[in-house]
Amino acid sequence: MADMFQFADDLGPLKIIHVQDAGIGLKAVLVIDNVAAGPSIGGLRMAPDVTVEECFRLARAMTLKNASAGLRHGGGKSVIVGDPGMPKADKERLIRAMAAALRGEDMYIFGPDMGTNEECMAWVHDEIGRAIGLPRELGGIPLDQLGATGYGLAQAAEVAAEFDGFDLTGARVAVQGFGSVGIHAARFLSERGCVLVAASDSKGTVYDLGGLDIEALTALKATGGGATGEREAVITVDCDILIPAARPDVIHDGNVEDVKARLILQGANIPATAEAERRLTERGVTNLPDFIANAGGVICAAMEYAGANQTTAFETIKEKIRENTLAVLEAAKADGVALREAAVALATERVRTAMSMRRWGTF
Ligand code: NAD
């Protein structure tokens, strides 16, 4: 029999809950990793091929991300096995049933993730009142539409560029994944004088050293046209700042040596393999870890949950991301370690300190 506690370490997980209702075809899992700082926040993912291990890894990533951002929330994650493109009525039934089954788990707050959106969160809210990332009509702050994560990435870029002594004016940016994160990151960086020279989506890459028009590209993407170049080419184009904002492990052994950027802002989660990250560090590339650089979305969502308005949410993103980026850059330099190592140490220390102030087991 597999070890039931195979994922456990001193941080968590606090609970792993399987949810099943054969009558309607619901198969799901919730991992509440750590709640020392407060009720856990993490997305509800819907995908055909999710595992308990993946759910745990994502929950742990949320523990670190929320701790780094200094939120009053721990980390958790939930997944429903299913095709997110299923008929809406079926999806609504599964999501409502999942929420109802977890009504008593008040140490977990649902959020949107791959395969779920604001409307799904409205269903959860309707069932149990415990969801973030709600539609505006329910008091939500539409973080993807406003570009909360892209805004945070641009803040991180400013701090990193200043730390490394280079000017953002004229800096050439390449974005992989021209979606909610990528488009807004490009937009906020262009307001700081950067030039978007390459962008890709699932269909291909467009490249223009003279600069791409972000608005025109966004409009083109909305019509489904545009990119023709080789899709993975965006990772190795000549640029100063690379923003992977699509899929995991896109920087790997096979392309890491050809990466030209001096600054990488990890918009997506785990966009580089561990080995690729090691080699980037060796080459002196500033490779800002995902849970530091892309925390804008969850900060915005946590502010929404606390009842803050949009202006306060964006001010908080700015303050927290700048503070954390600088702390990680300074710690890595002082200790001579990789940025991810410094970031994990910082986040873990915060979680442990929070744990030391709680009477464990009273949740
Ligand atoms: P999105 O669906 O809005 O956009 C994703 C984009 O990536 C799309 O344009 C898609 O065409 C493109 N894409 C897909 N596969 C690709 C590939 N192989 N190569 C190039 N492009 C590809 O998603 P999003 O909300 O922008 O999220 C992007 C990533 O950032 C995800 O990994 C997500 O988990 C992560 N993330 C998102 C947020 C947020 O606030 N939305 C916050 C933190 C992390």
Side-chain angles (χ1 to χ4, degrees):
M1 189 175 126
D3 178 5
M4 284 207 312
F5 294 94
Q6 59 186 309
F7 309 126
D9 61 20
D10 61 323
L11 300 189
L14 181 66
K15 293 183 182 181
I16 300 178
I17 298 171
H18 284 269
V19 180
Q20 208 199 162
D21 183 335
I24 60 165
L26 174 65
K27 268 173 88 176
V29 66
L30 164 68
V31 176
I32 301 179
D33 183 43
N34 188 290
V35 297
S40 66
I41 284 187
L44 167 63
R45 179 166 292 199
M46 185 180 267
D49 55 353
V50 280
T51 63
V52 175
E53 181 176 0
E54 185 182 343
C55 189
F56 163 70
R57 285 177 62 208
L58 294 164
R60 173 57 54 86
M62 290 309 297
T63 298
L64 298 180
K65 189 183 287 195
N66 296 344
S68 309
L71 301 179
R72 296 178 188 172
H73 293 284
K77 197 87 183 181
S78 56
V79 293
I80 295 179
V81 179
D83 174 2
M86 70 176 66
K88 190 164 151 185
D90 296 345
K91 190 168 178 175
E92 178 171 354
R93 190 177 312 115
L94 291 183
I95 290 177
R96 284 185 179 273
M98 169 80 164
L102 298 173
R103 188 184 305 281
E105 292 303 326
D106 61 357
M107 280 294 126
Y108 175 65
I109 300 164
F110 286 83
D113 192 58
M114 270 167 53
T116 63
N117 60 14
E118 292 169 357
E119 189 178 23
C120 301
M121 291 306 108
W123 299 330
V124 173
H125 185 259
D126 188 41
E127 291 293 328
I128 62 169
R130 221 171 49 237
I132 51 171
L134 296 170
R136 208 190 264 285
E137 294 75 8
L138 297 180
I141 305 174
L143 62 95
D144 275 341
Q145 199 182 317
L146 297 167
T149 301
Y151 178 72
L153 289 168
Q155 297 297 334
E158 273 190 330
V159 173
E162 195 180 330
F163 191 86
D164 287 344
F166 81 93
D167 197 349
L168 283 185
T169 310
R172 297 160 305 155
V173 178
V175 173
Q176 182 190 44
F178 208 58
S180 305
V181 174
I183 290 175
H184 292 288
R187 185 168 64 81
F188 285 115
L189 282 170
S190 81
E191 287 171 8
R192 285 156 180 78
C194 296
V195 182
L196 181 70
V197 294
S200 75
D201 67 3
S202 52
K203 300 199 188 89
T205 298
V206 284
Y207 181 73
D208 185 349
L209 202 53
L212 295 162
D213 181 332
I214 297 170
E215 265 182 45
L217 208 57
T218 309
L220 195 65
K221 172 137 176 81
T223 63
T228 49
E230 208 254 306
R231 197 174 68 178
E232 306 308 319
V234 71
I235 298 293
T236 53
V237 295
D238 203 4
C239 67
D240 303 298
I241 302 174
L242 173 63
I243 305 179
R247 311 281 309 159
D249 295 337
V250 294
I251 307 175
H252 47 71
D253 276 8
N255 62 12
V256 63
E257 293 308 332
D258 298 320
V259 170
K260 316 273 188 317
R262 60 190 297 179
L263 172 61
I264 298 177
L265 304 167
Q266 298 193 347
N269 297 318
I270 46 170
T273 64
E275 175 60 14
E277 289 213 337
R278 196 185 61 71
R279 282 154 73 177
L280 288 168
T281 304
E282 259 174 26
R283 286 178 40 206
V285 176
T286 301
N287 176 31
L288 274 185
D290 40 17
F291 66 88
I292 298 293
N294 74 22
V298 75
I299 296 172
C300 189
M303 295 305 289
E304 172 193 302
Y305 195 70
N309 64 21
Q310 191 177 310
T311 309
T312 313
F314 272 65
E315 276 167 9
T316 309
I317 293 170
K318 179 176 177 177
E319 180 192 310
K320 288 184 182 294
I321 297 228
R322 294 186 81 91
E323 198 179 288
N324 289 327
T325 303
L326 187 60
V328 168
L329 287 165
E330 283 176 341
K333 191 172 181 183
D335 300 342
V337 296
L339 289 169
R340 183 170 292 275
E341 201 179 318
V344 169
L346 183 104
T348 308
E349 191 191 316
R350 284 187 189 169
V351 177
R352 290 215 170 92
T353 304
M355 287 170 79
S356 74
M357 293 184 281
R358 294 295 296 258
R359 186 155 68 85
W360 203 240
T362 56
F363 311 110

PDB file of all heavy atoms in Angstrom, residues 170-175 178 186 190 193-199 206-218 220 237-240:
ATOM      1  N   GLY A 170      13.354  51.334 -23.188  1.00  0.00           N
ATOM      2  CA  GLY A 170      13.933  50.690 -24.377  1.00  0.00           C
ATOM      3  C   GLY A 170      14.230  49.216 -24.187  1.00  0.00           C
ATOM      4  O   GLY A 170      14.659  48.549 -25.143  1.00  0.00           O
ATOM      5  N   ALA A 171      14.035  48.691 -22.981  1.00  0.00           N
ATOM      6  CA  ALA A 171      14.315  47.258 -22.764  1.00  0.00           C
ATOM      7  C   ALA A 171      13.367  46.419 -23.625  1.00  0.00           C
ATOM      8  O   ALA A 171      12.174  46.700 -23.716  1.00  0.00           O
ATOM      9  CB  ALA A 171      14.148  46.910 -21.292  1.00  0.00           C
ATOM     10  N   ARG A 172      13.916  45.381 -24.265  1.00  0.00           N
ATOM     11  CA  ARG A 172      13.123  44.554 -25.186  1.00  0.00           C
ATOM     12  C   ARG A 172      12.497  43.376 -24.436  1.00  0.00           C
ATOM     13  O   ARG A 172      13.193  42.639 -23.739  1.00  0.00           O
ATOM     14  CB  ARG A 172      14.021  44.031 -26.314  1.00  0.00           C
ATOM     15  CG  ARG A 172      14.618  45.148 -27.192  1.00  0.00           C
ATOM     16  CD  ARG A 172      15.827  44.650 -27.933  1.00  0.00           C
ATOM     17  NE  ARG A 172      16.815  44.099 -26.999  1.00  0.00           N
ATOM     18  CZ  ARG A 172      17.738  43.194 -27.304  1.00  0.00           C
ATOM     19  NH1 ARG A 172      17.824  42.727 -28.530  1.00  0.00           N
ATOM     20  NH2 ARG A 172      18.582  42.760 -26.399  1.00  0.00           N
ATOM     21  N   VAL A 173      11.174  43.244 -24.598  1.00  0.00           N
ATOM     22  CA  VAL A 173      10.417  42.236 -23.836  1.00  0.00           C
ATOM     23  C   VAL A 173       9.871  41.157 -24.771  1.00  0.00           C
ATOM     24  O   VAL A 173       9.362  41.466 -25.852  1.00  0.00           O
ATOM     25  CB  VAL A 173       9.221  42.910 -23.115  1.00  0.00           C
ATOM     26  CG1 VAL A 173       8.384  41.878 -22.366  1.00  0.00           C
ATOM     27  CG2 VAL A 173       9.712  44.000 -22.166  1.00  0.00           C
ATOM     28  N   ALA A 174       9.979  39.909 -24.336  1.00  0.00           N
ATOM     29  CA  ALA A 174       9.343  38.793 -25.059  1.00  0.00           C
ATOM     30  C   ALA A 174       8.375  38.105 -24.110  1.00  0.00           C
ATOM     31  O   ALA A 174       8.713  37.833 -22.949  1.00  0.00           O
ATOM     32  CB  ALA A 174      10.407  37.806 -25.542  1.00  0.00           C
ATOM     33  N   VAL A 175       7.165  37.839 -24.580  1.00  0.00           N
ATOM     34  CA  VAL A 175       6.130  37.240 -23.741  1.00  0.00           C
ATOM     35  C   VAL A 175       5.667  35.920 -24.344  1.00  0.00           C
ATOM     36  O   VAL A 175       5.214  35.874 -25.490  1.00  0.00           O
ATOM     37  CB  VAL A 175       4.907  38.185 -23.620  1.00  0.00           C
ATOM     38  CG1 VAL A 175       3.757  37.491 -22.901  1.00  0.00           C
ATOM     39  CG2 VAL A 175       5.283  39.467 -22.887  1.00  0.00           C
ATOM     40  N   PHE A 178       0.214  34.965 -24.724  1.00  0.00           N
ATOM     41  CA  PHE A 178      -0.379  36.300 -24.796  1.00  0.00           C
ATOM     42  C   PHE A 178      -1.837  36.205 -24.312  1.00  0.00           C
ATOM     43  O   PHE A 178      -2.785  36.334 -25.082  1.00  0.00           O
ATOM     44  CB  PHE A 178      -0.285  36.825 -26.237  1.00  0.00           C
ATOM     45  CG  PHE A 178      -0.230  38.323 -26.336  1.00  0.00           C
ATOM     46  CD1 PHE A 178       0.773  39.047 -25.707  1.00  0.00           C
ATOM     47  CD2 PHE A 178      -1.196  39.015 -27.058  1.00  0.00           C
ATOM     48  CE1 PHE A 178       0.829  40.435 -25.801  1.00  0.00           C
ATOM     49  CE2 PHE A 178      -1.152  40.398 -27.157  1.00  0.00           C
ATOM     50  CZ  PHE A 178      -0.141  41.107 -26.512  1.00  0.00           C
ATOM     51  N   ALA A 186       2.784  42.966 -20.635  1.00  0.00           N
ATOM     52  CA  ALA A 186       3.354  43.738 -21.754  1.00  0.00           C
ATOM     53  C   ALA A 186       2.865  45.186 -21.701  1.00  0.00           C
ATOM     54  O   ALA A 186       3.633  46.129 -21.910  1.00  0.00           O
ATOM     55  CB  ALA A 186       2.953  43.083 -23.076  1.00  0.00           C
ATOM     56  N   SER A 190       5.178  48.397 -21.103  1.00  0.00           N
ATOM     57  CA  SER A 190       5.339  49.403 -22.166  1.00  0.00           C
ATOM     58  C   SER A 190       5.088  50.797 -21.602  1.00  0.00           C
ATOM     59  O   SER A 190       5.684  51.773 -22.056  1.00  0.00           O
ATOM     60  CB  SER A 190       4.441  49.100 -23.364  1.00  0.00           C
ATOM     61  OG  SER A 190       3.139  49.542 -23.130  1.00  0.00           O
ATOM     62  N   GLY A 193       8.236  52.216 -20.650  1.00  0.00           N
ATOM     63  CA  GLY A 193       9.220  52.456 -21.708  1.00  0.00           C
ATOM     64  C   GLY A 193       9.774  51.220 -22.367  1.00  0.00           C
ATOM     65  O   GLY A 193      10.622  51.310 -23.264  1.00  0.00           O
ATOM     66  N   CYS A 194       9.319  50.033 -21.925  1.00  0.00           N
ATOM     67  CA  CYS A 194       9.807  48.802 -22.557  1.00  0.00           C
ATOM     68  C   CYS A 194       9.161  48.638 -23.932  1.00  0.00           C
ATOM     69  O   CYS A 194       8.114  49.207 -24.218  1.00  0.00           O
ATOM     70  CB  CYS A 194       9.440  47.578 -21.719  1.00  0.00           C
ATOM     71  SG  CYS A 194      10.203  47.547 -20.099  1.00  0.00           S
ATOM     72  N   VAL A 195       9.801  47.816 -24.759  1.00  0.00           N
ATOM     73  CA  VAL A 195       9.292  47.561 -26.108  1.00  0.00           C
ATOM     74  C   VAL A 195       9.018  46.063 -26.252  1.00  0.00           C
ATOM     75  O   VAL A 195       9.911  45.241 -26.018  1.00  0.00           O
ATOM     76  CB  VAL A 195      10.345  47.976 -27.164  1.00  0.00           C
ATOM     77  CG1 VAL A 195       9.802  47.765 -28.572  1.00  0.00           C
ATOM     78  CG2 VAL A 195      10.768  49.424 -26.957  1.00  0.00           C
ATOM     79  N   LEU A 196       7.785  45.729 -26.593  1.00  0.00           N
ATOM     80  CA  LEU A 196       7.452  44.319 -26.820  1.00  0.00           C
ATOM     81  C   LEU A 196       7.983  43.897 -28.180  1.00  0.00           C
ATOM     82  O   LEU A 196       7.561  44.444 -29.208  1.00  0.00           O
ATOM     83  CB  LEU A 196       5.930  44.126 -26.768  1.00  0.00           C
ATOM     84  CG  LEU A 196       5.441  42.688 -26.970  1.00  0.00           C
ATOM     85  CD1 LEU A 196       5.802  41.809 -25.780  1.00  0.00           C
ATOM     86  CD2 LEU A 196       3.928  42.647 -27.218  1.00  0.00           C
ATOM     87  N   VAL A 197       8.937  42.961 -28.201  1.00  0.00           N
ATOM     88  CA  VAL A 197       9.511  42.547 -29.493  1.00  0.00           C
ATOM     89  C   VAL A 197       9.040  41.165 -29.945  1.00  0.00           C
ATOM     90  O   VAL A 197       9.161  40.823 -31.124  1.00  0.00           O
ATOM     91  CB  VAL A 197      11.063  42.570 -29.484  1.00  0.00           C
ATOM     92  CG1 VAL A 197      11.579  43.993 -29.344  1.00  0.00           C
ATOM     93  CG2 VAL A 197      11.629  41.671 -28.393  1.00  0.00           C
ATOM     94  N   ALA A 198       8.518  40.372 -29.003  1.00  0.00           N
ATOM     95  CA  ALA A 198       8.026  39.043 -29.393  1.00  0.00           C
ATOM     96  C   ALA A 198       6.894  38.623 -28.480  1.00  0.00           C
ATOM     97  O   ALA A 198       6.889  38.941 -27.288  1.00  0.00           O
ATOM     98  CB  ALA A 198       9.160  38.022 -29.328  1.00  0.00           C
ATOM     99  N   ALA A 199       5.930  37.921 -29.057  1.00  0.00           N
ATOM    100  CA  ALA A 199       4.822  37.389 -28.262  1.00  0.00           C
ATOM    101  C   ALA A 199       4.373  36.087 -28.905  1.00  0.00           C
ATOM    102  O   ALA A 199       4.431  35.935 -30.128  1.00  0.00           O
ATOM    103  CB  ALA A 199       3.661  38.380 -28.230  1.00  0.00           C
ATOM    104  N   VAL A 206       5.028  35.784 -32.828  1.00  0.00           N
ATOM    105  CA  VAL A 206       5.286  36.927 -33.715  1.00  0.00           C
ATOM    106  C   VAL A 206       6.492  37.672 -33.161  1.00  0.00           C
ATOM    107  O   VAL A 206       6.669  37.762 -31.940  1.00  0.00           O
ATOM    108  CB  VAL A 206       4.094  37.918 -33.838  1.00  0.00           C
ATOM    109  CG1 VAL A 206       3.025  37.358 -34.733  1.00  0.00           C
ATOM    110  CG2 VAL A 206       3.528  38.267 -32.486  1.00  0.00           C
ATOM    111  N   TYR A 207       7.321  38.224 -34.041  1.00  0.00           N
ATOM    112  CA  TYR A 207       8.560  38.869 -33.622  1.00  0.00           C
ATOM    113  C   TYR A 207       8.797  40.092 -34.480  1.00  0.00           C
ATOM    114  O   TYR A 207       8.662  40.032 -35.705  1.00  0.00           O
ATOM    115  CB  TYR A 207       9.720  37.864 -33.790  1.00  0.00           C
ATOM    116  CG  TYR A 207      11.068  38.390 -33.379  1.00  0.00           C
ATOM    117  CD1 TYR A 207      11.376  38.560 -32.029  1.00  0.00           C
ATOM    118  CD2 TYR A 207      12.024  38.721 -34.330  1.00  0.00           C
ATOM    119  CE1 TYR A 207      12.622  39.052 -31.649  1.00  0.00           C
ATOM    120  CE2 TYR A 207      13.271  39.204 -33.951  1.00  0.00           C
ATOM    121  CZ  TYR A 207      13.561  39.375 -32.611  1.00  0.00           C
ATOM    122  OH  TYR A 207      14.778  39.861 -32.233  1.00  0.00           O
ATOM    123  N   ASP A 208       9.120  41.211 -33.848  1.00  0.00           N
ATOM    124  CA  ASP A 208       9.484  42.414 -34.594  1.00  0.00           C
ATOM    125  C   ASP A 208      10.398  43.267 -33.711  1.00  0.00           C
ATOM    126  O   ASP A 208       9.951  43.819 -32.696  1.00  0.00           O
ATOM    127  CB  ASP A 208       8.231  43.213 -34.983  1.00  0.00           C
ATOM    128  CG  ASP A 208       8.573  44.416 -35.858  1.00  0.00           C
ATOM    129  OD1 ASP A 208       9.775  44.745 -35.990  1.00  0.00           O
ATOM    130  OD2 ASP A 208       7.650  45.031 -36.398  1.00  0.00           O
ATOM    131  N   LEU A 209      11.646  43.321 -34.100  1.00  0.00           N
ATOM    132  CA  LEU A 209      12.638  44.053 -33.314  1.00  0.00           C
ATOM    133  C   LEU A 209      12.271  45.533 -33.187  1.00  0.00           C
ATOM    134  O   LEU A 209      12.617  46.195 -32.203  1.00  0.00           O
ATOM    135  CB  LEU A 209      14.019  43.903 -33.977  1.00  0.00           C
ATOM    136  CG  LEU A 209      15.221  44.138 -33.085  1.00  0.00           C
ATOM    137  CD1 LEU A 209      15.154  43.289 -31.825  1.00  0.00           C
ATOM    138  CD2 LEU A 209      16.511  43.831 -33.853  1.00  0.00           C
ATOM    139  N   GLY A 210      11.527  46.028 -34.162  1.00  0.00           N
ATOM    140  CA  GLY A 210      11.116  47.436 -34.128  1.00  0.00           C
ATOM    141  C   GLY A 210      10.013  47.697 -33.116  1.00  0.00           C
ATOM    142  O   GLY A 210       9.692  48.853 -32.837  1.00  0.00           O
ATOM    143  N   GLY A 211       9.425  46.639 -32.577  1.00  0.00           N
ATOM    144  CA  GLY A 211       8.368  46.809 -31.582  1.00  0.00           C
ATOM    145  C   GLY A 211       7.006  46.406 -32.123  1.00  0.00           C
ATOM    146  O   GLY A 211       6.629  46.773 -33.230  1.00  0.00           O
ATOM    147  N   LEU A 212       6.277  45.613 -31.321  1.00  0.00           N
ATOM    148  CA  LEU A 212       4.934  45.183 -31.713  1.00  0.00           C
ATOM    149  C   LEU A 212       3.913  46.130 -31.073  1.00  0.00           C
ATOM    150  O   LEU A 212       4.125  46.620 -29.964  1.00  0.00           O
ATOM    151  CB  LEU A 212       4.685  43.754 -31.206  1.00  0.00           C
ATOM    152  CG  LEU A 212       5.563  42.655 -31.815  1.00  0.00           C
ATOM    153  CD1 LEU A 212       5.537  41.405 -30.922  1.00  0.00           C
ATOM    154  CD2 LEU A 212       5.088  42.302 -33.213  1.00  0.00           C
ATOM    155  N   ASP A 213       2.807  46.337 -31.769  1.00  0.00           N
ATOM    156  CA  ASP A 213       1.740  47.179 -31.241  1.00  0.00           C
ATOM    157  C   ASP A 213       0.836  46.296 -30.360  1.00  0.00           C
ATOM    158  O   ASP A 213       0.138  45.411 -30.872  1.00  0.00           O
ATOM    159  CB  ASP A 213       0.964  47.773 -32.435  1.00  0.00           C
ATOM    160  CG  ASP A 213      -0.160  48.688 -31.982  1.00  0.00           C
ATOM    161  OD1 ASP A 213      -0.689  48.478 -30.869  1.00  0.00           O
ATOM    162  OD2 ASP A 213      -0.501  49.602 -32.750  1.00  0.00           O
ATOM    163  N   ILE A 214       0.868  46.539 -29.059  1.00  0.00           N
ATOM    164  CA  ILE A 214       0.163  45.644 -28.117  1.00  0.00           C
ATOM    165  C   ILE A 214      -1.347  45.640 -28.358  1.00  0.00           C
ATOM    166  O   ILE A 214      -1.985  44.591 -28.364  1.00  0.00           O
ATOM    167  CB  ILE A 214       0.488  46.041 -26.658  1.00  0.00           C
ATOM    168  CG1 ILE A 214       1.985  45.846 -26.398  1.00  0.00           C
ATOM    169  CG2 ILE A 214      -0.326  45.221 -25.658  1.00  0.00           C
ATOM    170  CD1 ILE A 214       2.488  46.412 -25.101  1.00  0.00           C
ATOM    171  N   GLU A 215      -1.903  46.821 -28.583  1.00  0.00           N
ATOM    172  CA  GLU A 215      -3.355  46.896 -28.803  1.00  0.00           C
ATOM    173  C   GLU A 215      -3.767  46.153 -30.071  1.00  0.00           C
ATOM    174  O   GLU A 215      -4.738  45.396 -30.076  1.00  0.00           O
ATOM    175  CB  GLU A 215      -3.795  48.355 -28.909  1.00  0.00           C
ATOM    176  CG  GLU A 215      -4.292  48.899 -27.591  1.00  0.00           C
ATOM    177  CD  GLU A 215      -4.781  50.326 -27.700  1.00  0.00           C
ATOM    178  OE1 GLU A 215      -5.508  50.618 -28.668  1.00  0.00           O
ATOM    179  OE2 GLU A 215      -4.415  51.126 -26.842  1.00  0.00           O
ATOM    180  N   ALA A 216      -2.985  46.380 -31.131  1.00  0.00           N
ATOM    181  CA  ALA A 216      -3.315  45.721 -32.401  1.00  0.00           C
ATOM    182  C   ALA A 216      -3.187  44.200 -32.249  1.00  0.00           C
ATOM    183  O   ALA A 216      -4.014  43.436 -32.755  1.00  0.00           O
ATOM    184  CB  ALA A 216      -2.384  46.233 -33.501  1.00  0.00           C
ATOM    185  N   LEU A 217      -2.155  43.791 -31.513  1.00  0.00           N
ATOM    186  CA  LEU A 217      -1.923  42.357 -31.311  1.00  0.00           C
ATOM    187  C   LEU A 217      -3.051  41.731 -30.483  1.00  0.00           C
ATOM    188  O   LEU A 217      -3.504  40.615 -30.762  1.00  0.00           O
ATOM    189  CB  LEU A 217      -0.585  42.187 -30.584  1.00  0.00           C
ATOM    190  CG  LEU A 217       0.186  40.911 -30.819  1.00  0.00           C
ATOM    191  CD1 LEU A 217       0.480  40.711 -32.295  1.00  0.00           C
ATOM    192  CD2 LEU A 217       1.502  40.944 -30.033  1.00  0.00           C
ATOM    193  N   THR A 218      -3.502  42.483 -29.468  1.00  0.00           N
ATOM    194  CA  THR A 218      -4.594  41.995 -28.626  1.00  0.00           C
ATOM    195  C   THR A 218      -5.856  41.833 -29.468  1.00  0.00           C
ATOM    196  O   THR A 218      -6.569  40.823 -29.358  1.00  0.00           O
ATOM    197  CB  THR A 218      -4.853  42.989 -27.462  1.00  0.00           C
ATOM    198  OG1 THR A 218      -3.609  43.257 -26.810  1.00  0.00           O
ATOM    199  CG2 THR A 218      -5.835  42.427 -26.451  1.00  0.00           C
ATOM    200  N   LEU A 220      -5.987  41.393 -32.688  1.00  0.00           N
ATOM    201  CA  LEU A 220      -5.739  40.301 -33.631  1.00  0.00           C
ATOM    202  C   LEU A 220      -5.975  38.953 -32.948  1.00  0.00           C
ATOM    203  O   LEU A 220      -6.578  38.041 -33.513  1.00  0.00           O
ATOM    204  CB  LEU A 220      -4.292  40.399 -34.125  1.00  0.00           C
ATOM    205  CG  LEU A 220      -3.897  39.596 -35.350  1.00  0.00           C
ATOM    206  CD1 LEU A 220      -4.661  40.107 -36.563  1.00  0.00           C
ATOM    207  CD2 LEU A 220      -2.389  39.710 -35.610  1.00  0.00           C
ATOM    208  N   VAL A 237      14.378  34.160 -28.267  1.00  0.00           N
ATOM    209  CA  VAL A 237      14.574  35.356 -29.108  1.00  0.00           C
ATOM    210  C   VAL A 237      15.495  36.348 -28.396  1.00  0.00           C
ATOM    211  O   VAL A 237      15.642  36.305 -27.170  1.00  0.00           O
ATOM    212  CB  VAL A 237      13.249  36.082 -29.477  1.00  0.00           C
ATOM    213  CG1 VAL A 237      12.364  35.229 -30.333  1.00  0.00           C
ATOM    214  CG2 VAL A 237      12.547  36.577 -28.244  1.00  0.00           C
ATOM    215  N   ASP A 238      16.057  37.237 -29.191  1.00  0.00           N
ATOM    216  CA  ASP A 238      16.945  38.249 -28.630  1.00  0.00           C
ATOM    217  C   ASP A 238      16.098  39.278 -27.880  1.00  0.00           C
ATOM    218  O   ASP A 238      15.280  39.977 -28.482  1.00  0.00           O
ATOM    219  CB  ASP A 238      17.697  38.915 -29.795  1.00  0.00           C
ATOM    220  CG  ASP A 238      18.990  39.527 -29.313  1.00  0.00           C
ATOM    221  OD1 ASP A 238      19.313  39.357 -28.111  1.00  0.00           O
ATOM    222  OD2 ASP A 238      19.665  40.183 -30.117  1.00  0.00           O
ATOM    223  N   CYS A 239      16.250  39.324 -26.570  1.00  0.00           N
ATOM    224  CA  CYS A 239      15.456  40.261 -25.768  1.00  0.00           C
ATOM    225  C   CYS A 239      16.184  40.489 -24.442  1.00  0.00           C
ATOM    226  O   CYS A 239      17.154  39.804 -24.119  1.00  0.00           O
ATOM    227  CB  CYS A 239      14.062  39.693 -25.512  1.00  0.00           C
ATOM    228  SG  CYS A 239      14.063  38.235 -24.462  1.00  0.00           S
ATOM    229  N   ASP A 240      15.699  41.483 -23.676  1.00  0.00           N
ATOM    230  CA  ASP A 240      16.272  41.742 -22.348  1.00  0.00           C
ATOM    231  C   ASP A 240      15.440  41.086 -21.248  1.00  0.00           C
ATOM    232  O   ASP A 240      15.967  40.632 -20.244  1.00  0.00           O
ATOM    233  CB  ASP A 240      16.340  43.251 -22.107  1.00  0.00           C
ATOM    234  CG  ASP A 240      17.133  43.961 -23.181  1.00  0.00           C
ATOM    235  OD1 ASP A 240      18.328  43.654 -23.307  1.00  0.00           O
ATOM    236  OD2 ASP A 240      16.554  44.789 -23.924  1.00  0.00           O
TER     237      ASP A 240
END
